[in-house]
Amino acid sequence: MKTVNISLRAMEPEDLDVLYVVENDPELWTIGASNTPYSHFALKEFIANTTNDIYTDKQLRLVVDMDGEVAGLLDLIAFEPEHRRAEMGIVILERFRQKGVAQQAMKLLFEYCRSKLHLHQVYAWVPEDNIPSCKLFLSLGFHATVVREWLFNGEVFKNAALMQLFL
């Protein structure tokens, strides 16, 4: 794996165009919680109004930065401090895929979850037929449980792997 210079940071107003592209990608709607387009205005408001405090917002969105360029986004959602867990999601922009970016970014996220948030586990829902993502999560030590017909893509139901990592 090629070593790359990756960091995680809070969203900035300058990230609006990347956020717009990601949030309005219909390919991602079938695996996420949203299935409607977002306007520039709504996303601008989201960036402006987020506190970047997971305890306040119950979610945290981080930018995956590669040498000053936005390479993707990492999310912690469904934060449950009582149970010390959160659901995670990751989107790496296409031109940064297959370069070790996701793996390094996720390792940084796990360290943050351990040392700052004191989480016991993170989990993710991954379409079972998304082989590259399944391999990525498994390579990082996640355990997988297949849930049948969990995701609906508008035509058929698909199985999903519940990926869990105990920190």
Side-chain angles (χ1 to χ4, degrees):
M1 175 177 67
K2 180 181 171 190
T3 302
V4 290
N5 188 22
I6 299 295
S7 61
L8 302 178
R9 63 169 176 77
M11 286 189 310
E12 298 287 349
E14 295 79 21
D15 301 322
L16 178 61
D17 289 337
V18 172
L19 186 60
Y20 183 82
V21 168
V22 169
E23 290 293 348
N24 289 297
D25 182 349
E27 294 287 317
L28 300 175
W29 292 349
T30 60
I31 58 172
S34 175
N35 62 359
T36 58
Y38 284 92
S39 68
H40 273 99
F41 176 78
L43 294 172
K44 186 176 181 181
E45 290 291 303
F46 172 77
I47 293 171
N49 293 320
T50 188
T51 67
N52 291 318
D53 178 358
I54 196 168
Y55 290 94
T56 300
D57 298 337
K58 300 295 184 217
Q59 67 177 1
L60 179 64
R61 172 161 276 176
L62 298 168
V63 172
V64 178
D65 187 287
M66 181 173 158
D67 297 322
E69 205 174 342
V70 177
L73 301 169
L74 262 172
D75 290 320
L76 289 175
I77 61 171
F79 174 60
E80 296 186 42
E82 178 181 357
H83 301 294
R84 296 176 53 198
R85 68 177 174 236
E87 181 177 347
M88 69 161 290
I90 184 168
V91 173
I92 299 298
L93 301 179
E94 195 164 341
R95 70 181 184 275
F96 294 99
R97 293 179 188 163
Q98 304 299 315
K99 297 179 180 174
V101 174
Q103 191 170 51
Q104 279 191 252
M106 288 169 67
K107 286 178 180 178
L108 290 172
L109 179 71
F110 303 154
E111 181 53 34
Y112 176 76
C113 288
R114 272 188 211 100
S115 66
K116 302 298 182 203
L117 300 179
H118 309 290
L119 293 182
H120 173 65
Q121 69 174 291
V122 292
Y123 65 94
W125 294 100
V126 180
E128 187 182 41
D129 60 358
N130 185 338
I131 304 303
S133 289
C134 287
K135 284 183 179 180
L136 170 67
F137 279 86
L138 293 171
S139 76
L140 290 166
F142 279 76
H143 299 276
T145 303
V146 174
V147 181
R148 295 186 58 213
E149 299 184 7
W150 194 255
L151 300 170
F152 185 65
N153 69 4
E155 296 176 12
V156 297
F157 284 93
K158 292 186 171 195
N159 295 348
L162 170 59
M163 299 286 190
Q164 284 181 288
L165 178 69
F166 296 97
L167 300 169

PDB file of all heavy atoms in Angstrom, residues 33-59:
ATOM      1  N   ALA A  33     -28.955   7.126   4.418  1.00  0.00           N
ATOM      2  CA  ALA A  33     -30.236   7.408   5.063  1.00  0.00           C
ATOM      3  C   ALA A  33     -31.074   8.397   4.266  1.00  0.00           C
ATOM      4  O   ALA A  33     -32.244   8.584   4.554  1.00  0.00           O
ATOM      5  CB  ALA A  33     -29.992   7.956   6.464  1.00  0.00           C
ATOM      6  N   SER A  34     -30.481   9.033   3.272  1.00  0.00           N
ATOM      7  CA  SER A  34     -31.185  10.035   2.492  1.00  0.00           C
ATOM      8  C   SER A  34     -31.359   9.557   1.059  1.00  0.00           C
ATOM      9  O   SER A  34     -30.503   8.874   0.514  1.00  0.00           O
ATOM     10  CB  SER A  34     -30.400  11.341   2.496  1.00  0.00           C
ATOM     11  OG  SER A  34     -31.013  12.279   1.660  1.00  0.00           O
ATOM     12  N   ASN A  35     -32.469   9.944   0.466  1.00  0.00           N
ATOM     13  CA  ASN A  35     -32.693   9.591  -0.931  1.00  0.00           C
ATOM     14  C   ASN A  35     -33.283  10.758  -1.716  1.00  0.00           C
ATOM     15  O   ASN A  35     -34.011  10.565  -2.673  1.00  0.00           O
ATOM     16  CB  ASN A  35     -33.584   8.355  -1.047  1.00  0.00           C
ATOM     17  CG  ASN A  35     -34.952   8.580  -0.446  1.00  0.00           C
ATOM     18  OD1 ASN A  35     -35.255   9.649   0.073  1.00  0.00           O
ATOM     19  ND2 ASN A  35     -35.792   7.565  -0.506  1.00  0.00           N
ATOM     20  N   THR A  36     -32.942  11.947  -1.271  1.00  0.00           N
ATOM     21  CA  THR A  36     -33.408  13.143  -1.973  1.00  0.00           C
ATOM     22  C   THR A  36     -32.231  14.084  -2.199  1.00  0.00           C
ATOM     23  O   THR A  36     -31.283  14.111  -1.412  1.00  0.00           O
ATOM     24  CB  THR A  36     -34.482  13.896  -1.160  1.00  0.00           C
ATOM     25  OG1 THR A  36     -33.928  14.257   0.113  1.00  0.00           O
ATOM     26  CG2 THR A  36     -35.716  13.054  -0.956  1.00  0.00           C
ATOM     27  N   PRO A  37     -32.306  14.879  -3.249  1.00  0.00           N
ATOM     28  CA  PRO A  37     -31.228  15.835  -3.500  1.00  0.00           C
ATOM     29  C   PRO A  37     -31.233  16.970  -2.468  1.00  0.00           C
ATOM     30  O   PRO A  37     -32.268  17.289  -1.886  1.00  0.00           O
ATOM     31  CB  PRO A  37     -31.534  16.371  -4.894  1.00  0.00           C
ATOM     32  CG  PRO A  37     -32.809  15.787  -5.326  1.00  0.00           C
ATOM     33  CD  PRO A  37     -33.308  14.866  -4.281  1.00  0.00           C
ATOM     34  N   TYR A  38     -30.070  17.546  -2.269  1.00  0.00           N
ATOM     35  CA  TYR A  38     -29.911  18.706  -1.386  1.00  0.00           C
ATOM     36  C   TYR A  38     -29.500  19.908  -2.217  1.00  0.00           C
ATOM     37  O   TYR A  38     -28.682  19.785  -3.137  1.00  0.00           O
ATOM     38  CB  TYR A  38     -28.832  18.453  -0.335  1.00  0.00           C
ATOM     39  CG  TYR A  38     -29.270  17.538   0.776  1.00  0.00           C
ATOM     40  CD1 TYR A  38     -29.053  16.166   0.697  1.00  0.00           C
ATOM     41  CD2 TYR A  38     -29.885  18.041   1.915  1.00  0.00           C
ATOM     42  CE1 TYR A  38     -29.446  15.326   1.727  1.00  0.00           C
ATOM     43  CE2 TYR A  38     -30.285  17.202   2.947  1.00  0.00           C
ATOM     44  CZ  TYR A  38     -30.059  15.847   2.846  1.00  0.00           C
ATOM     45  OH  TYR A  38     -30.441  15.014   3.860  1.00  0.00           O
ATOM     46  N   SER A  39     -30.007  21.067  -1.864  1.00  0.00           N
ATOM     47  CA  SER A  39     -29.635  22.298  -2.551  1.00  0.00           C
ATOM     48  C   SER A  39     -28.318  22.833  -1.992  1.00  0.00           C
ATOM     49  O   SER A  39     -27.903  22.474  -0.884  1.00  0.00           O
ATOM     50  CB  SER A  39     -30.729  23.354  -2.365  1.00  0.00           C
ATOM     51  OG  SER A  39     -30.767  23.756  -0.998  1.00  0.00           O
ATOM     52  N   HIS A  40     -27.678  23.703  -2.773  1.00  0.00           N
ATOM     53  CA  HIS A  40     -26.485  24.386  -2.272  1.00  0.00           C
ATOM     54  C   HIS A  40     -26.820  25.132  -0.986  1.00  0.00           C
ATOM     55  O   HIS A  40     -26.036  25.121  -0.031  1.00  0.00           O
ATOM     56  CB  HIS A  40     -25.942  25.377  -3.315  1.00  0.00           C
ATOM     57  CG  HIS A  40     -25.010  24.761  -4.294  1.00  0.00           C
ATOM     58  ND1 HIS A  40     -25.411  24.374  -5.543  1.00  0.00           N
ATOM     59  CD2 HIS A  40     -23.692  24.465  -4.203  1.00  0.00           C
ATOM     60  CE1 HIS A  40     -24.380  23.870  -6.189  1.00  0.00           C
ATOM     61  NE2 HIS A  40     -23.326  23.905  -5.406  1.00  0.00           N
ATOM     62  N   PHE A  41     -27.977  25.769  -0.969  1.00  0.00           N
ATOM     63  CA  PHE A  41     -28.380  26.549   0.211  1.00  0.00           C
ATOM     64  C   PHE A  41     -28.477  25.653   1.454  1.00  0.00           C
ATOM     65  O   PHE A  41     -27.947  25.998   2.506  1.00  0.00           O
ATOM     66  CB  PHE A  41     -29.725  27.249  -0.041  1.00  0.00           C
ATOM     67  CG  PHE A  41     -30.224  27.986   1.170  1.00  0.00           C
ATOM     68  CD1 PHE A  41     -29.684  29.221   1.516  1.00  0.00           C
ATOM     69  CD2 PHE A  41     -31.218  27.440   1.971  1.00  0.00           C
ATOM     70  CE1 PHE A  41     -30.130  29.892   2.647  1.00  0.00           C
ATOM     71  CE2 PHE A  41     -31.670  28.111   3.103  1.00  0.00           C
ATOM     72  CZ  PHE A  41     -31.122  29.338   3.442  1.00  0.00           C
ATOM     73  N   ALA A  42     -29.162  24.511   1.331  1.00  0.00           N
ATOM     74  CA  ALA A  42     -29.328  23.620   2.485  1.00  0.00           C
ATOM     75  C   ALA A  42     -27.980  23.113   2.991  1.00  0.00           C
ATOM     76  O   ALA A  42     -27.744  23.037   4.206  1.00  0.00           O
ATOM     77  CB  ALA A  42     -30.233  22.446   2.120  1.00  0.00           C
ATOM     78  N   LEU A  43     -27.088  22.776   2.076  1.00  0.00           N
ATOM     79  CA  LEU A  43     -25.776  22.275   2.481  1.00  0.00           C
ATOM     80  C   LEU A  43     -24.907  23.382   3.076  1.00  0.00           C
ATOM     81  O   LEU A  43     -24.149  23.148   4.025  1.00  0.00           O
ATOM     82  CB  LEU A  43     -25.082  21.603   1.306  1.00  0.00           C
ATOM     83  CG  LEU A  43     -25.786  20.324   0.819  1.00  0.00           C
ATOM     84  CD1 LEU A  43     -25.154  19.823  -0.466  1.00  0.00           C
ATOM     85  CD2 LEU A  43     -25.777  19.245   1.886  1.00  0.00           C
ATOM     86  N   LYS A  44     -25.049  24.591   2.539  1.00  0.00           N
ATOM     87  CA  LYS A  44     -24.324  25.733   3.098  1.00  0.00           C
ATOM     88  C   LYS A  44     -24.781  25.982   4.540  1.00  0.00           C
ATOM     89  O   LYS A  44     -23.962  26.224   5.433  1.00  0.00           O
ATOM     90  CB  LYS A  44     -24.565  26.969   2.230  1.00  0.00           C
ATOM     91  CG  LYS A  44     -23.764  28.169   2.623  1.00  0.00           C
ATOM     92  CD  LYS A  44     -24.002  29.314   1.629  1.00  0.00           C
ATOM     93  CE  LYS A  44     -23.198  30.516   1.993  1.00  0.00           C
ATOM     94  NZ  LYS A  44     -23.431  31.626   1.065  1.00  0.00           N
ATOM     95  N   GLU A  45     -26.079  25.893   4.760  1.00  0.00           N
ATOM     96  CA  GLU A  45     -26.633  26.051   6.105  1.00  0.00           C
ATOM     97  C   GLU A  45     -26.140  24.939   7.037  1.00  0.00           C
ATOM     98  O   GLU A  45     -25.834  25.183   8.202  1.00  0.00           O
ATOM     99  CB  GLU A  45     -28.170  26.056   6.062  1.00  0.00           C
ATOM    100  CG  GLU A  45     -28.748  27.288   5.425  1.00  0.00           C
ATOM    101  CD  GLU A  45     -28.539  28.525   6.264  1.00  0.00           C
ATOM    102  OE1 GLU A  45     -28.971  28.532   7.437  1.00  0.00           O
ATOM    103  OE2 GLU A  45     -27.921  29.481   5.753  1.00  0.00           O
ATOM    104  N   PHE A  46     -26.080  23.713   6.525  1.00  0.00           N
ATOM    105  CA  PHE A  46     -25.590  22.584   7.321  1.00  0.00           C
ATOM    106  C   PHE A  46     -24.158  22.847   7.787  1.00  0.00           C
ATOM    107  O   PHE A  46     -23.831  22.703   8.962  1.00  0.00           O
ATOM    108  CB  PHE A  46     -25.657  21.284   6.516  1.00  0.00           C
ATOM    109  CG  PHE A  46     -24.994  20.121   7.199  1.00  0.00           C
ATOM    110  CD1 PHE A  46     -25.621  19.468   8.251  1.00  0.00           C
ATOM    111  CD2 PHE A  46     -23.744  19.686   6.798  1.00  0.00           C
ATOM    112  CE1 PHE A  46     -25.005  18.407   8.907  1.00  0.00           C
ATOM    113  CE2 PHE A  46     -23.121  18.618   7.433  1.00  0.00           C
ATOM    114  CZ  PHE A  46     -23.755  17.982   8.494  1.00  0.00           C
ATOM    115  N   ILE A  47     -23.294  23.265   6.854  1.00  0.00           N
ATOM    116  CA  ILE A  47     -21.906  23.555   7.210  1.00  0.00           C
ATOM    117  C   ILE A  47     -21.849  24.686   8.236  1.00  0.00           C
ATOM    118  O   ILE A  47     -21.110  24.610   9.218  1.00  0.00           O
ATOM    119  CB  ILE A  47     -21.068  23.904   5.954  1.00  0.00           C
ATOM    120  CG1 ILE A  47     -20.917  22.671   5.053  1.00  0.00           C
ATOM    121  CG2 ILE A  47     -19.692  24.442   6.350  1.00  0.00           C
ATOM    122  CD1 ILE A  47     -20.294  22.968   3.691  1.00  0.00           C
ATOM    123  N   ALA A  48     -22.637  25.729   8.018  1.00  0.00           N
ATOM    124  CA  ALA A  48     -22.602  26.896   8.907  1.00  0.00           C
ATOM    125  C   ALA A  48     -23.133  26.585  10.302  1.00  0.00           C
ATOM    126  O   ALA A  48     -22.657  27.151  11.293  1.00  0.00           O
ATOM    127  CB  ALA A  48     -23.411  28.041   8.290  1.00  0.00           C
ATOM    128  N   ASN A  49     -24.100  25.684  10.389  1.00  0.00           N
ATOM    129  CA  ASN A  49     -24.772  25.454  11.669  1.00  0.00           C
ATOM    130  C   ASN A  49     -24.272  24.259  12.459  1.00  0.00           C
ATOM    131  O   ASN A  49     -24.684  24.069  13.602  1.00  0.00           O
ATOM    132  CB  ASN A  49     -26.282  25.333  11.443  1.00  0.00           C
ATOM    133  CG  ASN A  49     -26.877  26.639  10.979  1.00  0.00           C
ATOM    134  OD1 ASN A  49     -26.506  27.708  11.461  1.00  0.00           O
ATOM    135  ND2 ASN A  49     -27.779  26.579  10.018  1.00  0.00           N
ATOM    136  N   THR A  50     -23.420  23.441  11.867  1.00  0.00           N
ATOM    137  CA  THR A  50     -22.908  22.313  12.629  1.00  0.00           C
ATOM    138  C   THR A  50     -21.936  22.823  13.694  1.00  0.00           C
ATOM    139  O   THR A  50     -21.173  23.756  13.458  1.00  0.00           O
ATOM    140  CB  THR A  50     -22.242  21.259  11.718  1.00  0.00           C
ATOM    141  OG1 THR A  50     -21.938  20.112  12.484  1.00  0.00           O
ATOM    142  CG2 THR A  50     -20.977  21.779  11.072  1.00  0.00           C
ATOM    143  N   THR A  51     -22.003  22.221  14.866  1.00  0.00           N
ATOM    144  CA  THR A  51     -21.118  22.645  15.954  1.00  0.00           C
ATOM    145  C   THR A  51     -19.821  21.856  15.961  1.00  0.00           C
ATOM    146  O   THR A  51     -18.897  22.199  16.682  1.00  0.00           O
ATOM    147  CB  THR A  51     -21.801  22.442  17.324  1.00  0.00           C
ATOM    148  OG1 THR A  51     -21.974  21.041  17.554  1.00  0.00           O
ATOM    149  CG2 THR A  51     -23.126  23.181  17.405  1.00  0.00           C
ATOM    150  N   ASN A  52     -19.768  20.770  15.177  1.00  0.00           N
ATOM    151  CA  ASN A  52     -18.639  19.838  15.190  1.00  0.00           C
ATOM    152  C   ASN A  52     -18.462  19.204  16.562  1.00  0.00           C
ATOM    153  O   ASN A  52     -17.377  18.766  16.911  1.00  0.00           O
ATOM    154  CB  ASN A  52     -17.335  20.503  14.724  1.00  0.00           C
ATOM    155  CG  ASN A  52     -17.387  20.841  13.265  1.00  0.00           C
ATOM    156  OD1 ASN A  52     -17.860  20.050  12.459  1.00  0.00           O
ATOM    157  ND2 ASN A  52     -16.919  22.020  12.916  1.00  0.00           N
ATOM    158  N   ASP A  53     -19.541  19.176  17.325  1.00  0.00           N
ATOM    159  CA  ASP A  53     -19.559  18.524  18.637  1.00  0.00           C
ATOM    160  C   ASP A  53     -20.542  17.367  18.545  1.00  0.00           C
ATOM    161  O   ASP A  53     -21.750  17.577  18.454  1.00  0.00           O
ATOM    162  CB  ASP A  53     -19.985  19.506  19.716  1.00  0.00           C
ATOM    163  CG  ASP A  53     -20.081  18.876  21.094  1.00  0.00           C
ATOM    164  OD1 ASP A  53     -19.849  17.658  21.242  1.00  0.00           O
ATOM    165  OD2 ASP A  53     -20.403  19.620  22.038  1.00  0.00           O
ATOM    166  N   ILE A  54     -20.039  16.156  18.560  1.00  0.00           N
ATOM    167  CA  ILE A  54     -20.890  14.983  18.383  1.00  0.00           C
ATOM    168  C   ILE A  54     -21.929  14.854  19.494  1.00  0.00           C
ATOM    169  O   ILE A  54     -23.003  14.322  19.283  1.00  0.00           O
ATOM    170  CB  ILE A  54     -20.038  13.700  18.232  1.00  0.00           C
ATOM    171  CG1 ILE A  54     -20.888  12.558  17.647  1.00  0.00           C
ATOM    172  CG2 ILE A  54     -19.360  13.338  19.541  1.00  0.00           C
ATOM    173  CD1 ILE A  54     -20.087  11.362  17.192  1.00  0.00           C
ATOM    174  N   TYR A  55     -21.627  15.379  20.678  1.00  0.00           N
ATOM    175  CA  TYR A  55     -22.580  15.310  21.781  1.00  0.00           C
ATOM    176  C   TYR A  55     -23.762  16.248  21.554  1.00  0.00           C
ATOM    177  O   TYR A  55     -24.878  15.952  21.954  1.00  0.00           O
ATOM    178  CB  TYR A  55     -21.891  15.615  23.115  1.00  0.00           C
ATOM    179  CG  TYR A  55     -20.950  14.517  23.533  1.00  0.00           C
ATOM    180  CD1 TYR A  55     -19.602  14.572  23.221  1.00  0.00           C
ATOM    181  CD2 TYR A  55     -21.420  13.399  24.220  1.00  0.00           C
ATOM    182  CE1 TYR A  55     -18.739  13.547  23.574  1.00  0.00           C
ATOM    183  CE2 TYR A  55     -20.569  12.378  24.585  1.00  0.00           C
ATOM    184  CZ  TYR A  55     -19.226  12.460  24.260  1.00  0.00           C
ATOM    185  OH  TYR A  55     -18.380  11.444  24.610  1.00  0.00           O
ATOM    186  N   THR A  56     -23.529  17.352  20.880  1.00  0.00           N
ATOM    187  CA  THR A  56     -24.593  18.303  20.566  1.00  0.00           C
ATOM    188  C   THR A  56     -25.357  17.893  19.317  1.00  0.00           C
ATOM    189  O   THR A  56     -26.587  17.844  19.312  1.00  0.00           O
ATOM    190  CB  THR A  56     -24.001  19.718  20.363  1.00  0.00           C
ATOM    191  OG1 THR A  56     -23.342  20.107  21.567  1.00  0.00           O
ATOM    192  CG2 THR A  56     -25.083  20.726  20.015  1.00  0.00           C
ATOM    193  N   ASP A  57     -24.623  17.591  18.253  1.00  0.00           N
ATOM    194  CA  ASP A  57     -25.236  17.300  16.958  1.00  0.00           C
ATOM    195  C   ASP A  57     -25.667  15.848  16.788  1.00  0.00           C
ATOM    196  O   ASP A  57     -26.412  15.529  15.874  1.00  0.00           O
ATOM    197  CB  ASP A  57     -24.262  17.636  15.818  1.00  0.00           C
ATOM    198  CG  ASP A  57     -23.892  19.113  15.771  1.00  0.00           C
ATOM    199  OD1 ASP A  57     -24.656  19.946  16.276  1.00  0.00           O
ATOM    200  OD2 ASP A  57     -22.812  19.422  15.212  1.00  0.00           O
ATOM    201  N   LYS A  58     -25.141  14.951  17.634  1.00  0.00           N
ATOM    202  CA  LYS A  58     -25.383  13.499  17.534  1.00  0.00           C
ATOM    203  C   LYS A  58     -24.820  12.908  16.249  1.00  0.00           C
ATOM    204  O   LYS A  58     -25.144  11.806  15.859  1.00  0.00           O
ATOM    205  CB  LYS A  58     -26.871  13.135  17.672  1.00  0.00           C
ATOM    206  CG  LYS A  58     -27.473  13.557  18.989  1.00  0.00           C
ATOM    207  CD  LYS A  58     -26.842  12.819  20.136  1.00  0.00           C
ATOM    208  CE  LYS A  58     -27.527  13.178  21.434  1.00  0.00           C
ATOM    209  NZ  LYS A  58     -26.616  13.271  22.545  1.00  0.00           N
ATOM    210  N   GLN A  59     -23.990  13.682  15.580  1.00  0.00           N
ATOM    211  CA  GLN A  59     -23.297  13.227  14.384  1.00  0.00           C
ATOM    212  C   GLN A  59     -22.056  14.087  14.206  1.00  0.00           C
ATOM    213  O   GLN A  59     -21.948  15.159  14.799  1.00  0.00           O
ATOM    214  CB  GLN A  59     -24.184  13.331  13.156  1.00  0.00           C
ATOM    215  CG  GLN A  59     -24.532  14.751  12.749  1.00  0.00           C
ATOM    216  CD  GLN A  59     -25.351  14.790  11.477  1.00  0.00           C
ATOM    217  OE1 GLN A  59     -25.686  13.763  10.896  1.00  0.00           O
ATOM    218  NE2 GLN A  59     -25.683  15.977  11.018  1.00  0.00           N
TER     219      GLN A  59
END
